[in-house]
Amino acid sequence: MKMKIAVLAGDGIGPEIVEQGIKVCKAVGEKYHHELVFEEGLVGATAIDAVGNPFPDETFELCKSSDAVLFGAIGDPKYDNDPKAKVRPEQGLLAMRKKLGLYANVRPVTTFRSLLDKSPLRRDLVENVDFVVLRELTGGIYFGKPQGRSEDGNTAYDSSVYHRYEIERIVKLGCEYAMQRSKRLTVVDKANVLATSRLWREVAGEVVKDYPELTVDFMFVDNAAMQIIQWPGKFDVMVTENMFGDILTDEASVITGSLGLLPSASIGKLTSVFEPIHGSYPQAKGKNIANPLGTILSAAMMFEYAFKLNEEAALIREAVMQSMEENYVTEDLTRDNPRSTSEVGDWIADYIRKK
Ligand code: IPM
Ligand code: MG
């Protein structure tokens, strides 16, 4: 098979971790005789510095003409500390999501046997954790208008907006996922306070009627945040709006032992994007210490979702698992002889080649 992959490394540790993702893809390509073509595009603060736009048109065209996008991370402290900045790196990520119509962000949360003791939660709580969060990605408070400041600068406002069709399509996807898994769906909202959440509850209630085999739970987000920590093993598929999904998945990543481990797939109308859920970790930039596994596992999701190559995806996951079994991991996961970002990437690529 021949595939063209757009590589948007972005900011901070983005380039270092994406390099490991590419190594691993190349090893898979050699082993299974796929022709993989990688083409780089600018995004985020790096793109603002280069061309003044965090998601330039050329990058959009590159994404559209590719079979998948492998994405690193976005964000730079120089913007975080400047609330008056007119353009921000994160706008690049949001523009990409909107323009590519990436309405569903799939974030699997699974624990790895060899890392059970790295979790801040008790071993018996995290042993069988295996759930997936479907985060709505192109609506809600991230995109709602009006958004801004009053003329005197003393008032600021954001709007959370959801249309029925946006809720329908993601809840439907949640139902399809749950049907393939343990048939349990949790719809997370804040229907006791928010109008958008009440629409979510109404629409979700209608959509799930087509899936009578499912056990459906409606849960307020504050309660969900608590239960994710208290009984993480009870969840199967969780579907929620944009900002709740953002927050709950960072929380959920802690269960696995490191934020650096969680991959994601953003799927929608045009090319799908595969990216780790962590941020640009600017403190580690250029130090070759960041954990590349979230990106490598995102590459596994790319083989599975974008190319329908399950065997290739399974081999990547096996290699990642094995690197953990052998404690060949970065410093976020071990104090005992931690390996560098590139060493972990090399180890996994070698494992795949030799297998
Ligand atoms: C994520 C990130 C982004 C988000 C940021 C970088 C804009 O936190 O993908 O979870 O909030 O969606
Ligand atoms: Mg986030």
Side-chain angles (χ1 to χ4, degrees):
M1 231 170 120
K2 183 175 174 181
M3 298 84 117
K4 178 173 160 193
I5 300 168
V7 177
L8 311 189
D11 308 324
I13 56 166
E16 297 157 56
I17 50 168
V18 158
E19 198 184 316
Q20 314 317 314
I22 294 175
K23 262 182 209 168
V24 169
C25 291
K26 284 187 173 158
V28 169
E30 279 170 36
K31 186 173 167 62
Y32 291 93
H33 309 292
H34 299 304
E35 193 188 330
L36 302 177
V37 182
F38 298 91
E39 207 172 307
E40 287 179 28
L42 290 169
V43 72
T46 320
I48 300 178
D49 291 344
V51 297
N53 178 351
F55 189 59
D57 286 344
E58 302 86 82
T59 303
F60 182 40
E61 292 304 322
L62 170 65
C63 293
K64 279 195 293 186
S65 69
S66 300
D67 299 300
V69 179
L70 189 62
F71 193 96
I74 283 255
D76 189 306
K78 81 178 177 215
Y79 297 93
D80 297 344
N81 301 327
D82 177 10
K84 297 225 163 103
K86 291 241 156 55
V87 259
R88 313 184 64 81
E90 289 76 8
Q91 287 165 350
L93 183 58
L94 301 192
M96 179 184 75
R97 289 172 178 171
K98 197 71 171 178
K99 287 185 163 180
L100 291 175
L102 302 169
Y103 65 85
N105 184 221
V106 184
R107 297 189 162 184
V109 182
T110 38
T111 45
F112 300 93
R113 195 163 43 104
S114 46
L115 296 183
L116 288 177
D117 294 320
K118 308 277 189 248
S119 174
L121 299 188
R122 267 194 345 255
R123 193 185 172 97
D124 62 300
L125 287 178
V126 295
E127 238 153 17
N128 294 310
V129 171
D130 177 11
F131 66 94
V132 47
V133 180
L134 292 182
R135 168 186 176 193
E136 201 291 325
L137 204 58
T138 52
I141 201 163
Y142 274 53
F143 293 95
K145 299 273 184 295
Q147 181 194 56
R149 286 259 192 131
S150 61
E151 253 168 49
D152 67 6
N154 292 330
T155 311
Y157 40 88
D158 297 284
S159 313
S160 182
V161 180
Y162 268 109
H163 302 284
R164 179 174 286 272
Y165 76 94
E166 294 175 300
I167 305 167
E168 255 164 21
R169 64 186 176 186
I170 185 100
V171 174
K172 207 160 182 292
L173 195 67
C175 292
E176 299 291 340
Y177 263 81
M179 288 299 289
Q180 304 297 319
R181 298 174 47 105
S182 311
K183 299 199 165 58
R184 285 175 289 122
L185 180 73
T186 308
V187 183
V188 176
D189 62 29
K190 187 74 186 171
N192 50 348
V193 176
L194 302 176
T196 42
S197 281
R198 286 192 284 275
L199 183 62
W200 265 77
R201 219 171 248 226
E202 182 185 314
V203 174
E206 289 162 15
V207 172
V208 300
K209 281 193 192 131
D210 291 336
Y211 300 86
E213 284 170 62
L214 295 183
T215 307
V216 182
D217 241 354
F218 291 90
M219 198 178 276
F220 295 144
V221 63
D222 44 353
N223 185 15
M226 184 268 284
Q227 295 209 30
I228 279 180
I229 293 298
Q230 202 155 27
W231 299 289
K234 77 177 237 179
F235 293 105
D236 181 23
V237 178
M238 187 182 279
V239 61
T240 190
E241 64 102 72
N242 202 342
M243 190 160 75
F244 297 161
D246 178 46
I247 298 170
L248 291 178
T249 49
D250 260 35
E251 186 197 9
S253 75
V254 172
I255 302 169
T256 64
S258 171
L259 179 60
L261 287 172
L262 287 207
S264 84
S266 301
I267 51 187
K269 295 181 184 153
L270 300 170
T271 318
S272 301
V273 175
F274 301 87
E275 57 171 314
I277 82 153
H278 62 69
S280 60
Y281 192 12
Q283 305 85 333
K285 178 181 175 174
K287 292 191 180 153
N288 203 18
I289 56 170
N291 189 341
L293 296 183
T295 310
I296 293 172
L297 290 168
S298 298
M301 291 185 89
M302 176 171 81
F303 278 94
E304 184 180 322
Y305 284 77
F307 310 147
K308 310 279 177 247
L309 296 171
N310 293 345
E311 197 179 319
E312 284 80 339
L315 181 56
I316 297 175
R317 292 197 183 106
E318 179 189 318
V320 166
M321 211 86 93
Q322 203 55 40
S323 74
M324 293 174 182
E325 292 285 341
E326 299 190 17
N327 205 36
Y328 203 99
V329 291
T330 43
E331 63 174 35
D332 51 318
L333 292 175
T334 189
R335 288 206 192 123
D336 168 24
N337 193 13
R339 307 295 174 158
S340 68
T341 310
S342 53
E343 281 176 322
V344 173
D346 287 337
W347 193 99
I348 291 173
D350 274 353
Y351 181 96
I352 290 170
R353 264 194 221 97
K354 289 189 193 133
K355 187 71 187 185

